[in-house]
Amino acid sequence: MPLTETLMDNPRSQRIRRLAELKERRARQRHERFLIEGPQSVREAVDCRSDLVTDLYVQTGDASGQEGIGFLNPVVAAIAENALQHDNIYVHPVTERVMKAISTDAQGIVAQGDTRGMAVDHADLMVPGDDGERQDTGAPDLIAAFWQVRDPGNAGTVIRTADAAGCRALVLVDDCVDPLNPKVLRSTAGSAFHIPILTMGTDDFLDWVHGRGDGITAADVYGTPDRKPTDLPDLLAREGAQSGSGSTTGGPARGRVVLFGNEARGLPPELLQRVDSIVSIPIYGRAESLNLATSAAVLLYGLAMSSRIERM
């Protein structure tokens, strides 16, 4: 779309007020729109999911030798130029006071996205090779799941971690923070636009995973009285030995879903009874425990690297 010629300079206009309202979940649901803040997240949205971006708002500033409207800096100018190559994205220059009215975390650029474009139907997320056999890509079919994650910063960080570890998808289970919360999106550093993010209830999640034929490994320190967790190094060593032996079941490889619990309470015993295995991360020092984001990074990366090392 062409660049809008009129510079937006009224922070109290209806359009700007509606944009600012998208920080609230009810407004996002009502308008079916969400806010993407900051150069990194906006760049990844435009590059990877331009189909869901409807509008770009770019702060003006020093022209720095550019003809016409000068944007705040070369970074936001480059993002705007990229967006102008897409027919569905309108680019609007705005003043500093308008940008501050939209968001104090914008760093000169925000985008509006269509929430319907971010929705993922779990029925559409097939296992690799569902139309035949699972594909042997040399990497694990790994999905990360998080039960009742409430903190936006934690949710964004684990989405970024799952993306970096090569997870096929991420599932937010039960009563979790909205993945389209602006703070969540900022914390993902753009990863929210790289990896499918699903939301579902606990029973639906368990039915979906078992329907895929996958196994659920729960991350938990203590397990249950009759199901003690396996230490992560032991799990990785055992799986490495099985892989190195060249043994095969003769059928499709089974995928794995790794389930993490609430930041404060972990996973409830009744849910741990319904998973296939439990794993814990050993503590070698005097710390009582690891936080959710660190646990997710250690466990997901351990599984991802172990699988790849064995295939080298």
Side-chain angles (χ1 to χ4, degrees):
M1 288 292 179
L3 179 69
T4 303
E5 294 183 359
T6 304
L7 177 65
M8 301 181 67
D9 190 33
N10 181 7
R12 297 182 179 85
S13 70
Q14 183 178 1
R15 177 192 285 265
I16 299 307
R17 290 202 306 269
R18 181 172 293 181
L19 273 172
E21 289 174 357
L22 296 179
K23 297 182 182 71
E24 303 299 326
R25 187 169 193 164
R26 284 183 294 181
R28 294 193 293 272
Q29 293 172 338
R30 183 170 64 253
H31 299 303
E32 296 186 319
R33 295 291 185 268
F34 68 102
L35 199 62
I36 308 166
E37 303 168 313
Q40 189 166 9
S41 292
V42 174
R43 182 185 64 242
E44 294 306 304
V46 172
D47 285 348
C48 303
R49 292 299 312 275
S50 61
D51 59 297
L52 61 81
V53 180
T54 62
D55 295 86
L56 210 66
Y57 297 84
V58 190
Q59 184 177 329
T60 57
D62 181 8
S64 301
Q66 303 174 63
E67 295 183 2
I69 294 175
F71 292 121
L72 182 64
N73 56 54
V75 173
V76 299
I79 298 170
E81 290 170 4
N82 186 14
L84 288 169
Q85 306 306 311
H86 299 279
D87 292 339
N88 59 297
I89 303 176
Y90 292 86
V91 179
H92 312 275
V94 304
T95 61
E96 180 181 5
R97 65 175 186 163
V98 168
M99 186 60 71
K100 287 183 177 179
I102 298 171
S103 169
T104 57
D105 297 296
Q107 300 177 57
I109 190 166
V110 297
Q112 178 180 259
D114 189 328
T115 60
R116 295 167 296 184
M118 287 291 284
V120 180
D121 187 339
H122 64 272
D124 294 335
L125 189 69
M126 302 171 69
V127 296
D130 266 345
D131 53 348
E133 294 184 352
R134 282 185 190 263
Q135 299 167 350
D136 184 7
T137 62
D141 182 19
L142 186 63
I143 292 175
F146 297 86
W147 182 82
Q148 291 195 1
V149 176
R150 304 290 176 79
D151 181 81
N154 280 340
T157 301
V158 297
I159 291 170
R160 185 177 183 180
T161 299
D163 176 28
C167 291
R168 178 167 165 75
L170 180 140
V171 188
L172 296 175
V173 184
D174 207 86
D175 185 18
C176 291
V177 64
D178 181 8
L180 298 182
N181 179 307
K183 185 175 181 180
V184 174
L185 291 177
R186 289 198 309 274
S187 299
T188 72
S191 286
F193 308 110
H194 302 163
I195 181 173
I197 301 172
L198 297 81
T199 58
M200 59 183 78
T202 301
D203 290 336
D204 289 339
F205 164 72
L206 294 169
D207 292 343
W208 174 70
V209 174
H210 292 142
R212 285 170 49 92
D214 290 341
I216 303 177
T217 298
D220 191 80
V221 176
Y222 304 110
T224 66
D226 57 332
R227 299 187 69 192
K228 296 301 180 183
T230 300
D231 275 353
L232 178 59
D234 294 337
L235 173 66
L236 297 178
R238 183 173 67 236
E239 295 193 352
Q242 291 173 350
S243 176
S245 69
S247 63
T248 177
T249 61
R254 195 180 192 200
R256 169 182 274 135
V257 178
V258 185
L259 177 62
F260 299 86
N262 173 268
E263 296 97 330
R265 295 177 284 108
L267 292 165
E270 58 270 21
L271 184 51
L272 289 173
Q273 294 289 358
R274 301 174 69 181
V275 303
D276 298 281
S277 59
I278 305 173
V279 64
S280 65
I281 300 171
I283 301 293
Y284 298 118
R286 298 180 62 183
E288 181 182 0
S289 62
L290 298 173
N291 63 28
L292 174 62
T294 304
S295 297
V298 171
L299 214 163
L300 293 176
Y301 257 91
L303 292 169
M305 289 192 295
S306 175
S307 175
R308 286 165 172 79
I309 289 171
E310 293 302 328
R311 286 167 169 77
M312 292 176 61

